[in-house]
Amino acid sequence: MHTKEEKLEAFGRLLDVMDTLREKCPWDRKQTNQSLRPNTIEETYELCDALLKEDDLNICKELGDVLLHIVFYAKIGQEKEAFDIADVCNKLCDKLIYRHPHVYGTTEVSGTEEVLKNWEQLKTKEKEGNKTVLSGVPDALPSVIKADRIQEKASNVGFDWEKAEDVWPKVKEEIGEFEAEVANMDKDKATREFGDLMFSLINAGRLYHINPDTALELTNQKFIHRFNYVEQAAKQQGRSIKDLTLDEMDALWNEAKTKA
């Protein structure tokens, strides 16, 4: 691993490269906050994929891509004389120190949950912080992640079930309400009830320390793996997957489950 001096040198090199590209590359000169934004979202998802797969080689690569965007936005901010990378780092350090009084101050905590509660309380006290408990949840977050963050923030101020198992009657209630609206053939109400059901399941995941986005993505990947197995098995038989009967697909699906 590198020394602190080597790390600082590497970061300085990155800043120098960014300065050169912004000055001499036609594409880099053309970029704005808005033009970079879609790529930033894509790079973040690619990093998340590598993290989920515990792929250290690609985690390192994708972290570099995300870091490039951070440095790029800071460079644009510097050109506008609004802020530079030093401001970004210093504001982050100031925030981390302020929100960790148990490390940099005299506050004592019993564990992780108390740290999180203190974090949320300190955020509401900051002069430039969020004015309400939930206002810090970005509108643009994907719905599953957003629901989890909403519930987490509400929990940090005491709005939560007393015991994790208390959530199950609520989940069952939401299943019943969804089934009722499906039976009534009311699509609008069924859609809303399905949302309530998903929200309650995400809440259950949180209470049992399961990240809903990670859980769903693992299931997505599992389904892709098994479905691809069925499709490849059909090709090996000289057939298209569309030509298989449902019973034949189920049989191959069960085979795929033993290969996972």
Side-chain angles (χ1 to χ4, degrees):
M1 291 291 102
H2 297 86
T3 65
K4 183 176 181 180
E5 289 73 20
E6 289 171 332
K7 293 172 185 176
L8 290 172
E9 181 181 353
F11 190 65
R13 182 185 176 207
L14 173 59
L15 296 180
D16 289 341
V17 169
M18 185 74 257
D19 288 343
T20 300
L21 292 177
R22 188 67 170 170
E23 178 185 350
K24 297 183 177 180
C25 173
W27 186 88
D28 287 287
R29 279 202 309 264
K30 184 180 178 182
Q31 299 314 304
T32 65
N33 286 339
Q34 296 308 315
S35 69
L36 287 171
R37 181 178 174 275
N39 291 336
T40 305
I41 295 170
E42 182 179 340
E43 297 295 354
T44 303
Y45 274 106
E46 289 179 0
L47 171 59
C48 290
D49 186 55
L51 290 168
L52 195 61
K53 294 175 180 176
E54 294 285 354
D55 185 342
D56 288 337
L57 184 64
N58 271 321
I59 289 173
C60 181
K61 172 184 173 294
E62 299 301 341
L63 279 171
D65 291 342
V66 172
L67 180 57
L68 167 62
H69 282 248
I70 293 170
V71 170
F72 213 142
Y73 290 122
K75 178 64 177 177
I76 293 171
Q78 178 181 319
E79 292 168 352
K80 294 161 60 178
E81 297 185 351
F83 61 87
D84 62 16
I85 193 65
D87 294 313
V88 173
C89 293
N90 286 327
K91 283 184 179 293
L92 175 58
C93 289
D94 291 344
K95 179 170 68 176
L96 290 174
I97 291 169
Y98 174 74
R99 294 188 188 173
H100 288 80
H102 54 287
V103 176
Y104 293 97
T106 57
T107 301
E108 294 185 4
V109 293
S110 58
T112 303
E113 290 186 4
E114 196 169 345
V115 171
L116 291 174
K117 287 180 180 179
N118 287 343
W119 179 281
E120 294 298 337
Q121 290 170 2
L122 288 167
K123 284 179 71 173
T124 62
K125 293 180 182 178
E126 293 174 10
K127 291 182 180 179
E128 297 179 0
N130 303 311
K131 296 180 180 179
T132 66
V133 172
L134 299 182
S135 61
V137 180
D139 289 338
L141 277 180
S143 298
V144 171
I145 299 174
K146 189 175 184 179
D148 189 51
R149 291 294 290 132
I150 288 170
Q151 294 167 5
E152 181 183 32
K153 284 183 175 291
S155 173
N156 285 335
V157 295
F159 190 74
D160 205 353
W161 303 102
E162 290 187 6
K163 297 179 293 183
E165 55 266 31
D166 291 343
V167 75
W168 296 119
K170 182 62 176 176
V171 171
K172 293 173 183 177
E173 175 189 328
E174 297 298 351
I175 291 173
E177 291 178 358
F178 172 61
E179 288 180 331
E181 296 305 339
V182 170
N184 290 336
M185 300 181 67
D186 189 324
K187 185 175 180 181
D188 182 59
K189 288 184 178 179
T191 298
R192 294 177 184 277
E193 293 299 341
F194 188 67
D196 291 346
L197 172 57
M198 289 181 67
F199 196 84
S200 67
L201 285 171
I202 290 168
N203 208 5
R206 178 187 59 82
L207 290 164
Y208 288 95
H209 308 292
I210 296 170
N211 181 282
D213 187 68
T214 299
L216 183 58
E217 182 55 26
L218 288 171
T219 296
N220 288 340
Q221 292 183 8
K222 179 170 63 178
F223 185 93
I224 290 169
H225 170 76
R226 292 176 181 176
F227 193 84
N228 286 346
Y229 179 91
V230 173
E231 190 170 20
Q232 289 301 316
K235 287 183 179 179
Q236 290 173 4
Q237 296 175 13
R239 306 167 68 189
S240 166
I241 190 172
K242 294 184 291 186
D243 298 329
L244 299 178
T245 65
L246 183 57
D247 286 341
E248 289 173 324
M249 284 191 279
D250 280 340
L252 291 173
W253 181 270
N254 287 330
E255 277 185 29
K257 290 170 68 173
T258 66
K259 308 290 184 180

PDB file of all heavy atoms in Angstrom, residues 13 32 34 37 49 62 96 125 134 136 155-156 159 166 171 180 184 202 210:
ATOM      1  N   ARG A  13      -1.411  14.676  -8.945  1.00  0.00           N
ATOM      2  CA  ARG A  13      -1.243  14.304 -10.362  1.00  0.00           C
ATOM      3  C   ARG A  13      -2.583  14.310 -11.086  1.00  0.00           C
ATOM      4  O   ARG A  13      -2.691  14.792 -12.221  1.00  0.00           O
ATOM      5  CB  ARG A  13      -0.595  12.916 -10.450  1.00  0.00           C
ATOM      6  CG  ARG A  13      -0.328  12.445 -11.874  1.00  0.00           C
ATOM      7  CD  ARG A  13       0.194  11.025 -11.879  1.00  0.00           C
ATOM      8  NE  ARG A  13       0.369  10.538 -13.257  1.00  0.00           N
ATOM      9  CZ  ARG A  13       0.308   9.264 -13.616  1.00  0.00           C
ATOM     10  NH1 ARG A  13       0.098   8.334 -12.696  1.00  0.00           N
ATOM     11  NH2 ARG A  13       0.462   8.907 -14.880  1.00  0.00           N
ATOM     12  N   THR A  32     -20.147  20.508 -19.304  1.00  0.00           N
ATOM     13  CA  THR A  32     -20.778  21.338 -18.272  1.00  0.00           C
ATOM     14  C   THR A  32     -21.327  20.422 -17.175  1.00  0.00           C
ATOM     15  O   THR A  32     -21.337  19.188 -17.328  1.00  0.00           O
ATOM     16  CB  THR A  32     -21.938  22.159 -18.860  1.00  0.00           C
ATOM     17  OG1 THR A  32     -22.974  21.239 -19.287  1.00  0.00           O
ATOM     18  CG2 THR A  32     -21.480  22.997 -20.050  1.00  0.00           C
ATOM     19  N   GLN A  34     -24.379  19.938 -16.496  1.00  0.00           N
ATOM     20  CA  GLN A  34     -25.536  19.220 -17.031  1.00  0.00           C
ATOM     21  C   GLN A  34     -25.141  18.136 -18.026  1.00  0.00           C
ATOM     22  O   GLN A  34     -25.768  17.076 -18.088  1.00  0.00           O
ATOM     23  CB  GLN A  34     -26.513  20.209 -17.671  1.00  0.00           C
ATOM     24  CG  GLN A  34     -27.120  21.195 -16.687  1.00  0.00           C
ATOM     25  CD  GLN A  34     -27.740  20.502 -15.486  1.00  0.00           C
ATOM     26  OE1 GLN A  34     -28.446  19.514 -15.611  1.00  0.00           O
ATOM     27  NE2 GLN A  34     -27.446  21.020 -14.295  1.00  0.00           N
ATOM     28  N   ARG A  37     -23.752  15.131 -15.970  1.00  0.00           N
ATOM     29  CA  ARG A  37     -24.650  14.499 -15.004  1.00  0.00           C
ATOM     30  C   ARG A  37     -25.100  13.082 -15.406  1.00  0.00           C
ATOM     31  O   ARG A  37     -25.029  12.152 -14.578  1.00  0.00           O
ATOM     32  CB  ARG A  37     -25.865  15.391 -14.764  1.00  0.00           C
ATOM     33  CG  ARG A  37     -26.863  14.850 -13.757  1.00  0.00           C
ATOM     34  CD  ARG A  37     -28.010  15.825 -13.532  1.00  0.00           C
ATOM     35  NE  ARG A  37     -29.030  15.237 -12.681  1.00  0.00           N
ATOM     36  CZ  ARG A  37     -30.012  14.452 -13.129  1.00  0.00           C
ATOM     37  NH1 ARG A  37     -30.107  14.179 -14.416  1.00  0.00           N
ATOM     38  NH2 ARG A  37     -30.902  13.952 -12.282  1.00  0.00           N
ATOM     39  N   ASP A  49     -22.456  -1.899  -9.058  1.00  0.00           N
ATOM     40  CA  ASP A  49     -22.448  -3.264  -9.593  1.00  0.00           C
ATOM     41  C   ASP A  49     -21.167  -3.981  -9.183  1.00  0.00           C
ATOM     42  O   ASP A  49     -21.205  -5.147  -8.763  1.00  0.00           O
ATOM     43  CB  ASP A  49     -22.583  -3.225 -11.119  1.00  0.00           C
ATOM     44  CG  ASP A  49     -22.718  -4.612 -11.715  1.00  0.00           C
ATOM     45  OD1 ASP A  49     -23.627  -5.356 -11.291  1.00  0.00           O
ATOM     46  OD2 ASP A  49     -21.920  -4.962 -12.611  1.00  0.00           O
ATOM     47  N   GLU A  62     -13.764   1.604 -11.130  1.00  0.00           N
ATOM     48  CA  GLU A  62     -14.977   2.420 -11.105  1.00  0.00           C
ATOM     49  C   GLU A  62     -14.873   3.557 -10.091  1.00  0.00           C
ATOM     50  O   GLU A  62     -15.441   4.630 -10.303  1.00  0.00           O
ATOM     51  CB  GLU A  62     -16.200   1.546 -10.804  1.00  0.00           C
ATOM     52  CG  GLU A  62     -16.476   0.443 -11.834  1.00  0.00           C
ATOM     53  CD  GLU A  62     -16.692   0.973 -13.242  1.00  0.00           C
ATOM     54  OE1 GLU A  62     -16.982   2.174 -13.399  1.00  0.00           O
ATOM     55  OE2 GLU A  62     -16.558   0.180 -14.184  1.00  0.00           O
ATOM     56  N   LEU A  96     -17.858  16.111   8.692  1.00  0.00           N
ATOM     57  CA  LEU A  96     -17.565  14.834   9.345  1.00  0.00           C
ATOM     58  C   LEU A  96     -17.148  15.042  10.801  1.00  0.00           C
ATOM     59  O   LEU A  96     -17.556  14.287  11.693  1.00  0.00           O
ATOM     60  CB  LEU A  96     -16.464  14.090   8.583  1.00  0.00           C
ATOM     61  CG  LEU A  96     -16.864  13.542   7.211  1.00  0.00           C
ATOM     62  CD1 LEU A  96     -15.646  12.970   6.498  1.00  0.00           C
ATOM     63  CD2 LEU A  96     -17.951  12.473   7.346  1.00  0.00           C
ATOM     64  N   LYS A 125     -29.556  20.788  13.149  1.00  0.00           N
ATOM     65  CA  LYS A 125     -29.041  21.956  13.853  1.00  0.00           C
ATOM     66  C   LYS A 125     -28.114  22.812  12.997  1.00  0.00           C
ATOM     67  O   LYS A 125     -27.821  23.949  13.341  1.00  0.00           O
ATOM     68  CB  LYS A 125     -28.292  21.511  15.119  1.00  0.00           C
ATOM     69  CG  LYS A 125     -29.184  20.889  16.178  1.00  0.00           C
ATOM     70  CD  LYS A 125     -28.368  20.472  17.386  1.00  0.00           C
ATOM     71  CE  LYS A 125     -29.235  19.812  18.443  1.00  0.00           C
ATOM     72  NZ  LYS A 125     -28.435  19.355  19.604  1.00  0.00           N
ATOM     73  N   LEU A 134     -37.286  14.860   6.731  1.00  0.00           N
ATOM     74  CA  LEU A 134     -37.273  14.147   5.455  1.00  0.00           C
ATOM     75  C   LEU A 134     -36.802  14.990   4.269  1.00  0.00           C
ATOM     76  O   LEU A 134     -36.666  14.470   3.162  1.00  0.00           O
ATOM     77  CB  LEU A 134     -38.663  13.586   5.148  1.00  0.00           C
ATOM     78  CG  LEU A 134     -39.209  12.574   6.159  1.00  0.00           C
ATOM     79  CD1 LEU A 134     -40.571  12.070   5.721  1.00  0.00           C
ATOM     80  CD2 LEU A 134     -38.249  11.399   6.330  1.00  0.00           C
ATOM     81  N   GLY A 136     -33.998  16.000   3.595  1.00  0.00           N
ATOM     82  CA  GLY A 136     -32.674  15.605   3.131  1.00  0.00           C
ATOM     83  C   GLY A 136     -32.683  14.413   2.200  1.00  0.00           C
ATOM     84  O   GLY A 136     -31.631  14.015   1.696  1.00  0.00           O
ATOM     85  N   SER A 155     -37.107   6.693  11.524  1.00  0.00           N
ATOM     86  CA  SER A 155     -36.719   5.856  12.663  1.00  0.00           C
ATOM     87  C   SER A 155     -35.743   6.571  13.585  1.00  0.00           C
ATOM     88  O   SER A 155     -35.804   6.435  14.809  1.00  0.00           O
ATOM     89  CB  SER A 155     -36.098   4.551  12.155  1.00  0.00           C
ATOM     90  OG  SER A 155     -35.573   3.793  13.222  1.00  0.00           O
ATOM     91  N   ASN A 156     -34.839   7.364  12.983  1.00  0.00           N
ATOM     92  CA  ASN A 156     -33.811   8.040  13.775  1.00  0.00           C
ATOM     93  C   ASN A 156     -34.365   9.106  14.717  1.00  0.00           C
ATOM     94  O   ASN A 156     -33.671   9.547  15.629  1.00  0.00           O
ATOM     95  CB  ASN A 156     -32.766   8.673  12.846  1.00  0.00           C
ATOM     96  CG  ASN A 156     -31.841   7.629  12.245  1.00  0.00           C
ATOM     97  OD1 ASN A 156     -31.649   6.555  12.814  1.00  0.00           O
ATOM     98  ND2 ASN A 156     -31.272   7.933  11.087  1.00  0.00           N
ATOM     99  N   PHE A 159     -39.757   7.474  15.189  1.00  0.00           N
ATOM    100  CA  PHE A 159     -40.989   7.018  14.530  1.00  0.00           C
ATOM    101  C   PHE A 159     -40.728   5.635  13.933  1.00  0.00           C
ATOM    102  O   PHE A 159     -40.299   5.495  12.794  1.00  0.00           O
ATOM    103  CB  PHE A 159     -41.407   8.005  13.445  1.00  0.00           C
ATOM    104  CG  PHE A 159     -42.790   7.746  12.885  1.00  0.00           C
ATOM    105  CD1 PHE A 159     -43.917   8.051  13.623  1.00  0.00           C
ATOM    106  CD2 PHE A 159     -42.950   7.201  11.624  1.00  0.00           C
ATOM    107  CE1 PHE A 159     -45.191   7.811  13.119  1.00  0.00           C
ATOM    108  CE2 PHE A 159     -44.213   6.958  11.106  1.00  0.00           C
ATOM    109  CZ  PHE A 159     -45.338   7.265  11.864  1.00  0.00           C
ATOM    110  N   ASP A 166     -43.058  -6.617  14.975  1.00  0.00           N
ATOM    111  CA  ASP A 166     -44.330  -5.881  14.944  1.00  0.00           C
ATOM    112  C   ASP A 166     -44.720  -5.464  13.527  1.00  0.00           C
ATOM    113  O   ASP A 166     -45.871  -5.081  13.281  1.00  0.00           O
ATOM    114  CB  ASP A 166     -44.238  -4.624  15.815  1.00  0.00           C
ATOM    115  CG  ASP A 166     -44.153  -4.960  17.295  1.00  0.00           C
ATOM    116  OD1 ASP A 166     -44.492  -6.097  17.668  1.00  0.00           O
ATOM    117  OD2 ASP A 166     -43.741  -4.073  18.076  1.00  0.00           O
ATOM    118  N   VAL A 171     -47.549  -5.826   7.158  1.00  0.00           N
ATOM    119  CA  VAL A 171     -47.285  -6.407   5.831  1.00  0.00           C
ATOM    120  C   VAL A 171     -48.488  -7.235   5.386  1.00  0.00           C
ATOM    121  O   VAL A 171     -48.951  -7.117   4.239  1.00  0.00           O
ATOM    122  CB  VAL A 171     -46.009  -7.278   5.856  1.00  0.00           C
ATOM    123  CG1 VAL A 171     -45.852  -8.049   4.545  1.00  0.00           C
ATOM    124  CG2 VAL A 171     -44.776  -6.408   6.111  1.00  0.00           C
ATOM    125  N   ALA A 180     -57.592  -7.159  -2.365  1.00  0.00           N
ATOM    126  CA  ALA A 180     -58.980  -6.688  -2.449  1.00  0.00           C
ATOM    127  C   ALA A 180     -59.171  -5.767  -3.650  1.00  0.00           C
ATOM    128  O   ALA A 180     -60.171  -5.891  -4.385  1.00  0.00           O
ATOM    129  CB  ALA A 180     -59.364  -5.959  -1.162  1.00  0.00           C
ATOM    130  N   ASN A 184     -61.359  -6.185  -7.049  1.00  0.00           N
ATOM    131  CA  ASN A 184     -62.324  -5.161  -7.457  1.00  0.00           C
ATOM    132  C   ASN A 184     -62.037  -4.628  -8.861  1.00  0.00           C
ATOM    133  O   ASN A 184     -62.816  -3.831  -9.391  1.00  0.00           O
ATOM    134  CB  ASN A 184     -62.287  -3.973  -6.471  1.00  0.00           C
ATOM    135  CG  ASN A 184     -62.855  -4.343  -5.116  1.00  0.00           C
ATOM    136  OD1 ASN A 184     -63.646  -5.273  -5.007  1.00  0.00           O
ATOM    137  ND2 ASN A 184     -62.433  -3.615  -4.090  1.00  0.00           N
ATOM    138  N   ILE A 202     -40.216  -3.110   2.390  1.00  0.00           N
ATOM    139  CA  ILE A 202     -38.940  -2.406   2.519  1.00  0.00           C
ATOM    140  C   ILE A 202     -38.695  -2.065   3.989  1.00  0.00           C
ATOM    141  O   ILE A 202     -37.572  -2.175   4.495  1.00  0.00           O
ATOM    142  CB  ILE A 202     -38.930  -1.140   1.643  1.00  0.00           C
ATOM    143  CG1 ILE A 202     -38.894  -1.535   0.167  1.00  0.00           C
ATOM    144  CG2 ILE A 202     -37.751  -0.236   1.987  1.00  0.00           C
ATOM    145  CD1 ILE A 202     -39.174  -0.393  -0.787  1.00  0.00           C
ATOM    146  N   ILE A 210     -31.637  -5.608   6.281  1.00  0.00           N
ATOM    147  CA  ILE A 210     -31.481  -6.063   4.901  1.00  0.00           C
ATOM    148  C   ILE A 210     -31.693  -4.868   3.980  1.00  0.00           C
ATOM    149  O   ILE A 210     -32.745  -4.218   4.046  1.00  0.00           O
ATOM    150  CB  ILE A 210     -32.495  -7.180   4.560  1.00  0.00           C
ATOM    151  CG1 ILE A 210     -32.224  -8.421   5.416  1.00  0.00           C
ATOM    152  CG2 ILE A 210     -32.449  -7.525   3.076  1.00  0.00           C
ATOM    153  CD1 ILE A 210     -33.318  -9.469   5.328  1.00  0.00           C
TER     154      ILE A 210
END
